[in-house]
Amino acid sequence: MEVTIDTILEELEEARQIALAAKSPTAAISASMGKAKLLGLANARVEEDETESSPKEVLVKFV
């Protein structure tokens, strides 16, 4: 079997679905993060809005 980005994404999605069915959110999140990393979406910069003291709003930009 050839290993490609698509086949890895399929495996991660299958693992995520199994984790959700087993009510295992940590495993589901791990699979989702694996997909995000593979697609280059996991490197996010977080910028805080410093105009308000409480509660703070956080803006997340995916690059």
Side-chain angles (χ1 to χ4, degrees), residues 5-63:
I5 290 176
D6 288 335
T7 61
I8 295 170
L9 287 172
E10 288 174 12
E11 289 175 4
L12 286 168
E13 179 57 25
E14 182 179 349
R16 191 180 78 81
Q17 292 300 322
I18 292 168
L20 290 173
K23 299 191 185 315
S24 179
T26 302
I29 290 168
S30 180
S32 292
M33 288 305 298
K35 290 169 56 175
K37 288 177 184 177
L38 188 61
L39 295 170
L41 302 174
N43 297 326
R45 281 190 251 157
V46 178
E47 297 176 14
E48 289 190 30
D49 182 359
E50 297 180 10
T51 59
E52 307 224 1
S53 59
S54 179
K56 291 191 175 189
E57 181 178 331
V58 177
L59 174 64
V60 177
K61 293 182 181 178
F62 289 96
V63 292

